[in-house]
Amino acid sequence: MENESLNLPNYNIPEDMRDVVAVTTLDRLYNWGRRSSLWPLTFGLACCAIEMIAAQMARYDMARFGMEVMRPTPRQADMILISGTVTKKMLPAIIRLYNQMPEPKYVVAMGACASGGGPFKEGYNVVAGIDKFLPVDVYIPGCPPTPQALIAGLIKLQEKIDKQSLKKARWYQKGKEDPNYVPMPILGPDLIDVRRSEEFKKAAAVKEGA
Amino acid sequence: MATAIETQTVDLAARFPGKVSAESRPGYSGFVVEKESLLEVAKAVRDEFGYDLLAALTGVDYIEQNKMEVVYHLHKTTGGPKLIFRTQADRVDPIEIPSVTPIWAGAEYQEREAYDLLGIRFTGHPDLRRILMWEGFEGHPLRKDWKEAFYEEEIKPYKSRWPEGKHTYAEFKNPFRDNLKFPPNFDPEKYEPEGEKDLYSSLERFSIKSEGGLKTDHVVVNLGPHHPSTHGVLRVAVTLEGETVMGLKPVMGYLHRNHEKIGERNTFLQIMPYTDRLDYFNSMSNNFGYAVTIERLMNIPVAERAEYIRVIMAELSRIQNHLVFIGMLINDLGSMFTPAFYAFEERELILDIFEAVAGSRMMCNYFRFGGVARDVPEEQMQKIKDLVFDRLPFKIDEMERLLNQNEVLVGRLKGIHVLNAEDAVHYSVTGPVLRAAGVPYDLRRADPYSIYDRFDFDVALRHNGDMYDNYLIRFDEMRQSLRILEQALKQIPGGPINSQKPNYQVKVPAGEAYGRVEAPKGELGYYVVSTGKQNPYRYHVRPPSFVNLTALEKMCVGKKIQDFVALLAMLDIVMGELDR
Amino acid sequence: MYGLGILKGLSVTWKRFWDTYIDDISWALTGKKRYRTEEGIKHRSSKNTRGIFTVQYPEERLITPEEFRFVPFLVYEEKDGKKEPRCTACGICSKVCPPQCIWIVRSSDPVTGKPVSTPAEFYIDMDICMNCGFCAEYCPFDAIKMDHDIDIASYGRSVYNLEKLLKPVSYYAEIRPLNYNAEEEERRAKEAAKAARTAAPATPAA
């Protein structure tokens, strides 16, 4: 099996066995399997989603990376591509989708909007970056990133997966509370992040006093 | 340079003495209708003067005069000049203005938008709820005294960027609470969101009742905002009885990116790249509309070569939009991939040209006031010619061979969701959907802008108004676009590509303008009020997707749910433009 | 006949299927490589392409047109082994930037405290930048340009500082040769005119 990412580097396999056997560690095999079949969630938000579709099409063909199976349900997806502007109104839906995804799960912030608010950051209905709520693995700048830039970003994600280890993977740690569970924000007078409710209360109290 | 004053051909003031008064402001002259007699005047405007199409309706907040104004832009579907009138109310809550929905049903969503963003209550509106923001949102964002949570400065350019511009994140610099109003003793843990009771009560109210037959339960289904076939993040709440749609309400705003609020802060030039992101399939058409509007306001000519380049780019954009439309329509009907693959192949070739000429595949930002950003190199011109003369006609034929007679496709589309001409006009539907219903209304012909009057082309027209006609008319339009392209490519002259000197400080005189172009999805209008400053006082976009969607409920109720998905694809909505 | 339309459609896909192989074979017969060569990519982005036209990024890349813009970078010139940015901290780019993602700190003379025309700090928040290219278009000193490098995804927020933004003139000349040459030409013409002007007053006096 001629696969650089699977074979252990510097391990001499006899010449006649080279294409038949792979010598590797469990971690490498595990990561190789995961990184070669990353199924994204069918999830488009804005302009970047069109480039994501273009990347799925014949010219860029994400199937070459095992990423062509777009899953419509979060239960079967490995990664969520936040492809576009995250609005406050949409945010609860995104977080619900994320919480429904099984581990291991990855978040890719595609484009400027998802990474840090983008050109619409100053808007009243725009969240300044999805990383305020979800743990983002890879940030892909660009407005929108071209399909090639998207693929380059996804290769970065694969590299990240390669470095993970079974022993340390958070989803096999027993007894721990899921660190990635994100509480649902509330759509009140404005978006309310419940993790910061103390601050809200304090601010309301100050206003009452004044 | 003086602004070209929008001419008014109908003298409303003479027809309605005491009820309508003529008025003129810098760069504008028009009529103000007393709000008490608005409905009477509107009815006469439609029935006597023949202005049957309500193109745009929007509000303007004149905070200094303490007035809230609603502006109506009207057109005849037979072509000709527009009619603008406005009505005013004192800027004291509740601001009430009669709704014109009984006269033009197309006002429904636009009035809801004005209510949501400006807080104008339209009395007599059948279903006045927030449309873009969620229920329970505090305030009306487009009012001039409303500030965002992360508000930085009143206008761009911000003073904090130079010469002492240390990088900061706005959200840390400006504690968001200062600009937000919370209810007294606000406690997020005990706070009960308003939820969506308005939506569901409205859905209940507008659902039809089943007649006779078995009595079955109604099921409320929410399609979206994350749904593979809603073309983005549209959500539709549907009441179902079996498979029949009994009631339907679209819920939007999931991609509301505050285009207008940001636009009012931008300088005139800075808005240009933002328009790219309206209908992100057709940034060229969006640029076109905005450039036409501001050029009208500035009263400047456009360089001859640039006019041709603009037309070439806009028509190429139309072709790729329609190709993708067909691919996505078939995708929604259940035939995944093949047609979409074929469509995207051609689209990629067109995007290559955009990339080489404008610099970006999708967000072209190519138009400037008075011309375009840079010239089309000879090599790219040749590539456009190759595509237009040697490839696209055959590929369009191939697409037709692939799909047109497909029995499944014909069965799914023929005779389904008929929209007749009268309803289409009543609901302010524009673009291919209107033309498929048999109304030959194409802005390139009805109110020619740029140099469209120089080309020989037909207005694509179909008569049945069903989905199959809607599908076929896209092919007709692509062929007509190719005809325009062929002529434009043969006639294009040399010369400069901009009549103005490149300048980032654009001077726009006071005045107001409503510019419109025939975007691939319908009439794309920009309404800009300038006070002579560097940024617009009011900037409003009339997106075709948004207004076309008004007819959705009318078309779907009583029909089958599976056809609804096809209809959404048929209306060719794009969320960037719908929600802005 | 029922089903004829479907058959007709299938004939199109059938033809498409073979087109790829016919192209592959005809290229192989003429001894050219259809994949992983520039010629091959050019062919696949032209009107003559048939069948599948996948560009196998990252092994092969689409030919980037000169005008392509991704994110901005600052041009510096190498003088005596020191990086000298062309930027004069005039602030036009930060004024024209639509999403206001450019932050500039102008340097000041350490002795007099007067502003000096060079940036002390320069930040571009790539997570706000909308790639519109206005900064490059309106820069009077050709100091800020749009990059072609798309492989800039990272594991964290991308706020670029001066160090990360600076790229040599030679890089700019390499990615945008036509623009670079035109600008150099213009500059030479301007300098020649200036020289002529300074020389001109001398002649009447003489």
Side-chain angles (χ1 to χ4, degrees), chain B residues 259-276:
Chain B
H259 189 86
E260 290 176 14
K261 185 80 178 175
I262 295 175
E264 281 165 25
R265 192 171 293 145
N266 283 345
T267 65
F268 283 97
L269 183 69
Q270 282 172 345
I271 294 177
M272 188 63 87
Y274 277 95
T275 62
D276 291 342

Side-chain angles (χ1 to χ4, degrees), chain B residues 156 165-166 277 345 364 368, chain C residues 16 69 98 121 130 137:
Chain B
K156 289 176 185 175
K166 290 266 187 192
R277 286 146 181 88
E345 282 182 2
C364 299
R368 300 288 178 271
Chain C
R16 281 251 185 170
R69 50 185 150 83
E121 290 169 62
M130 69 199 297
E137 196 173 321

Side-chain angles (χ1 to χ4, degrees), chain B residues 215-458:
Chain B
K215 201 175 175 309
T216 50
D217 277 350
H218 282 193
V219 185
V220 175
V221 177
N222 274 295
L223 285 116
H226 161 65
H227 189 273
S229 65
T230 50
H231 290 232
V233 284
L234 179 70
R235 174 178 151 205
V236 185
V238 195
T239 314
L240 291 178
E241 188 186 88
E243 282 190 324
T244 312
V245 176
M246 306 305 275
L248 175 146
K249 288 283 168 194
V251 187
M252 37 200 130
Y254 291 97
L255 193 56
H256 179 44
R257 300 192 279 198
N258 330 118
H259 189 86
E260 290 176 14
K261 185 80 178 175
I262 295 175
E264 281 165 25
R265 192 171 293 145
N266 283 345
T267 65
F268 283 97
L269 183 69
Q270 282 172 345
I271 294 177
M272 188 63 87
Y274 277 95
T275 62
D276 291 342
R277 286 146 181 88
L278 280 172
D279 173 0
Y280 33 74
F281 278 106
N282 301 295
S283 56
M284 289 291 189
S285 306
N286 302 341
N287 282 185
F288 205 161
Y290 182 63
V292 163
T293 314
I294 301 299
E295 277 151 12
R296 188 172 296 168
L297 210 50
M298 292 167 78
N299 202 12
I300 52 170
V302 182
E304 185 74 3
R305 183 174 169 83
E307 290 273 31
Y308 278 90
I309 295 177
R310 284 177 172 196
V311 168
I312 289 169
M313 292 302 160
E315 294 306 319
L316 278 176
S317 178
R318 190 186 312 276
I319 291 175
Q320 61 91 11
N321 175 76
H322 284 350
L323 278 168
V324 172
F325 160 83
I326 290 159
M328 285 300 163
L329 168 74
I330 314 297
N331 202 0
D332 284 352
L333 286 175
S335 154
M336 304 292 258
F337 301 134
T338 306
F341 270 2
Y342 289 8
F344 269 79
E345 282 182 2
E346 305 317 308
R347 179 175 185 259
E348 286 293 334
L349 294 179
I350 294 174
L351 290 195
D352 276 354
I353 291 167
F354 289 172
E355 191 175 26
V357 173
S360 183
R361 288 156 48 85
M362 278 169 74
M363 306 307 173
C364 299
N365 185 21
Y366 185 50
F367 289 36
R368 300 288 178 271
F369 309 130
V372 290
R374 55 186 76 83
D375 206 349
V376 182
E378 198 43 53
E379 181 196 357
Q380 294 305 320
M381 206 50 125
Q382 187 55 43
K383 219 170 160 185
I384 300 174
K385 282 179 190 160
D386 285 349
L387 277 187
V388 168
F389 290 106
D390 293 346
R391 187 172 170 107
L392 289 174
F394 306 105
K395 287 292 166 184
I396 293 169
D397 289 349
E398 189 187 79
M399 202 76 159
E400 281 209 290
R401 271 208 310 285
L402 175 70
L403 297 167
N404 266 12
Q405 290 163 26
N406 188 313
E407 282 80 0
V408 183
L409 184 83
V410 175
R412 285 293 302 271
L413 298 181
K414 211 164 205 169
I416 313 272
H417 283 315
V418 181
L419 183 68
N420 62 36
E422 204 176 307
D423 280 342
V425 175
H426 191 48
Y427 279 93
S428 296
V429 172
T430 47
V433 185
L434 178 66
R435 291 193 286 275
V439 182
Y441 180 67
D442 187 326
L443 288 178
R444 290 172 293 175
R445 221 358 105 58
D447 183 13
Y449 53 94
S450 188
I451 49 163
Y452 276 107
D453 46 357
R454 296 186 200 168
F455 300 115
D456 173 32
F457 68 99
D458 299 324

